[in-house]
Amino acid sequence: MSDAAPPDLAPPGTKPVSPLKKVLANAGQLLSGRVVNAVVGLAYIALTYRSLGKEAAGVLVLINAFAQFLGEAAHFQSWQTLITYGAAPLLDDDKRRFQQVLRLSMLLDLISGVLGVILGVLGAWFFWQELRWPEGTNGYGALYALSIGVMTSATGVGLLRLFDRFRFLAAEQAISSFVRMVGCAICAFTHAPLPYFLLAWAAGTFASFAYIAAIAFWDLKRRGLLRGFSLIGPTSQDLPGVWRFALATNFSGTLDVGFTHVLTMIVGAMLGPAQAASWRIGKQVADGMAKPARLMVPALYPELAKMRAAGSQQAMNKLAVQIALIGGAAAGVLLLVSLLAGYWILEKVVGPGYGAAAGVMNWQVAAAAIGVMTLPLEPMLVSMRAAGSALTVRLVVVIAYLAALGPLINTFGLTGAGAALVAAALGMGIGMYFMARRRLARLAAEEDSARTTKDDEGPSYDHAHGV
């Protein structure tokens, strides 16, 4: 198996960059976009709350959260399918096969978008009381659910990641927030009611989708990958295991998204709203502290996929170890900051009286730190088309965690929930490690077997006779 790094897909004339530097540079670009988005996002949220008041703004947040949850839970992780199955034909300049993978990814987006919209419209129309929406807002919620269809431009995101266009990806959320800010400013100036603010928020979602789709289309056309392309044609043909892969990544993503919401609801049901608030606050701070390091993950996927396509197993291992070491250093800093300044951070950022959540937050930060240290493992499995193995680990850990959560909360309260979260993070990391190790060993064995078979066959007839 080759030790070399995979060919670079950057435009001709671009100086080659090491995979590690590329991952860090791309993650840095994403982080810069998140910083801009945070500032602009705060502006439109402030406009919304100041104009509508706490109650009406709360209704908007509930409707948006409902749509976001369905959008994240229903959609396929088609960008992973596109990167994993599209990297090899892109490297080999196999335009027909790449277009087939692109067609499949677009089909997955269409299926998930339609499914999400149907669930959103029906859920808003018939279950608004269970969702605790005020009477008369179900129609607005149903209309807002139409935005679920464009809430995740997964194919466009996958293409830009595969083409190393992270500087364009960095602007995606900022554009959505900017459109929302302008819309909310107009609504605030005209004293518009709730439906118009919902329209402004939905406009941001549509603008983000249109932006990514336009950039992806431009890049495809620039690279000549749209010549001869048709929306009608084969999708999964000669792509063994692709549907199983797509379903596994989708289910794994749904588990990851739903896990946070389920934990908060369980804590609230067992310990009450105040403890649930402490849990949620600590989790948000812990996730926020770990977010910069986690931005390496979307930058890591395309590099690993290219290495896998080029047969560069040792290069994959080297990059994974480098990212793990960087993640380990970041994890140590996160935990140290939480232990030394967690109480102060909560008191200053959230408000007086919230410092008591620092105890459980330390457990949550420790779990996040473990996740940062082990973050290359799942992308490695997915890049090696072993998404089912990653899903198995995640499912086993989630089931075990949920089974232990009730008794631990009854015995130790929030501390028990936090300690269990650390154990779950350890279990996830260990499970992913052994799955990745087994998969790498299997790939090495397959390579050795193929090489031995080729050597045993000896020189071909043409070569032996000088043809």
Side-chain angles (χ1 to χ4, degrees):
M1 185 171 289
S2 172
D3 296 348
D8 197 350
L9 294 178
T14 303
K15 185 179 179 180
V17 181
S18 73
L20 178 62
K21 288 183 178 179
K22 191 182 295 183
V23 169
L24 295 178
N26 290 338
Q29 289 180 330
L30 292 177
L31 180 60
S32 65
R34 295 297 176 95
V35 171
V36 174
N37 177 63
V39 175
V40 180
L42 185 61
Y44 81 73
I45 289 173
L47 284 167
T48 301
Y49 272 80
R50 287 177 179 271
S51 301
L52 291 179
K54 189 174 182 180
E55 186 174 341
V59 174
L60 186 150
V61 169
L62 286 174
I63 291 175
N64 181 67
F66 168 73
Q68 277 193 320
F69 174 74
L70 283 179
E72 292 174 355
H75 88 279
F76 284 93
Q77 303 286 332
S78 56
W79 65 270
Q80 292 187 349
T81 303
L82 178 66
I83 289 175
T84 302
Y85 285 84
L90 193 61
L91 288 171
D92 297 337
D93 199 25
D94 187 347
K95 187 185 300 180
R96 182 193 64 81
R97 178 59 58 87
F98 180 80
Q99 290 177 345
Q100 178 183 343
V101 177
L102 175 61
R103 191 182 299 116
L104 173 62
S105 182
M106 295 173 69
L107 175 62
L108 293 174
D109 281 354
L110 178 63
I111 293 172
S112 58
V114 171
L115 178 62
V117 168
I118 291 174
L119 291 175
V121 170
L122 293 178
W125 194 260
F126 293 107
F127 298 100
W128 59 273
Q129 288 179 309
E130 287 76 7
L131 293 167
R132 303 296 178 90
W133 297 354
E135 188 173 356
T137 56
N138 58 333
Y140 302 137
L143 286 173
Y144 192 81
L146 296 177
S147 66
I148 295 174
V150 296
M151 201 163 276
T152 52
S153 50
T155 295
V157 168
L159 285 169
L160 296 185
R161 287 177 179 174
L162 193 57
F163 297 154
D164 291 326
R165 313 297 280 182
F166 282 83
R167 62 192 178 97
F168 292 107
L169 283 171
E172 177 191 8
Q173 290 187 335
I175 285 175
S176 174
S177 294
F178 180 76
V179 170
R180 287 182 175 182
M181 183 185 70
V182 172
C184 288
I186 294 172
C187 290
F189 182 76
T190 57
H191 304 287
L194 172 64
Y196 292 94
F197 278 88
L198 281 169
L199 181 62
W201 281 43
T205 302
F206 280 94
S208 173
F209 175 83
Y211 165 76
I212 289 294
I215 297 296
F217 179 83
W218 165 76
D219 216 348
L220 282 168
K221 189 173 182 180
R222 184 179 69 89
R223 294 169 184 267
L225 294 171
L226 289 179
R227 295 194 195 102
F229 177 71
S230 172
L231 293 173
I232 307 299
T235 53
S236 57
Q237 180 182 339
D238 299 325
L239 295 176
V242 69
W243 279 104
R244 186 169 62 251
F245 177 91
L247 289 171
T249 52
N250 176 58
F251 191 32
S252 183
T254 301
L255 274 177
D256 194 29
V257 168
F259 194 50
T260 298
H261 301 287
V262 171
L263 291 185
T264 304
M265 288 188 289
I266 291 175
V267 171
M270 296 187 68
L271 299 177
Q275 296 284 58
S278 294
W279 174 269
R280 185 61 183 149
I281 288 167
K283 192 72 168 66
Q284 284 182 310
V285 173
D287 289 344
M289 292 172 68
K291 191 68 177 179
R294 287 176 178 166
L295 286 176
M296 289 190 291
V297 172
L300 185 60
Y301 269 104
E303 295 308 311
L304 290 174
K306 294 168 193 174
M307 290 173 178
R308 171 70 184 94
S312 306
Q313 179 179 318
Q314 290 191 17
M316 288 178 69
N317 293 340
K318 180 181 178 181
L319 180 59
V321 170
Q322 289 172 330
I323 296 297
L325 290 173
I326 293 172
V333 173
L334 288 179
L335 193 53
L336 188 63
V337 169
S338 179
L339 290 171
L340 297 179
Y343 184 92
W344 179 85
I345 290 172
L346 291 175
E347 288 281 326
K348 294 297 181 183
V349 174
V350 185
Y354 288 97
V360 70
M361 189 185 75
N362 288 333
W363 288 103
Q364 292 166 322
V365 170
I370 293 169
V372 169
M373 290 175 63
T374 59
L375 63 81
L377 296 174
E378 187 169 7
M380 280 192 73
L381 281 168
V382 172
S383 299
M384 293 184 289
R385 303 185 184 181
S389 298
L391 174 60
T392 299
V393 173
R394 188 174 295 278
L395 197 56
V396 169
V397 170
V398 167
I399 291 172
Y401 178 81
L402 293 178
L405 190 58
L408 286 170
I409 288 178
N410 281 330
T411 305
F412 302 104
L414 275 185
T415 300
L421 191 64
V422 171
L426 279 172
M428 196 84 72
I430 292 170
M432 293 288 184
Y433 169 76
F434 282 109
M435 285 292 189
R437 184 176 176 179
R438 187 175 71 173
R439 186 69 177 181
L440 286 168
R442 183 185 302 173
L443 288 175
E446 289 173 357
E447 284 288 325
D448 290 342
S449 177
R451 191 181 299 111
T452 301
T453 302
K454 185 177 180 180
D455 291 343
D456 289 344
E457 288 176 353
S460 64
Y461 177 87
D462 292 344
H463 179 73
H465 290 77
V467 178

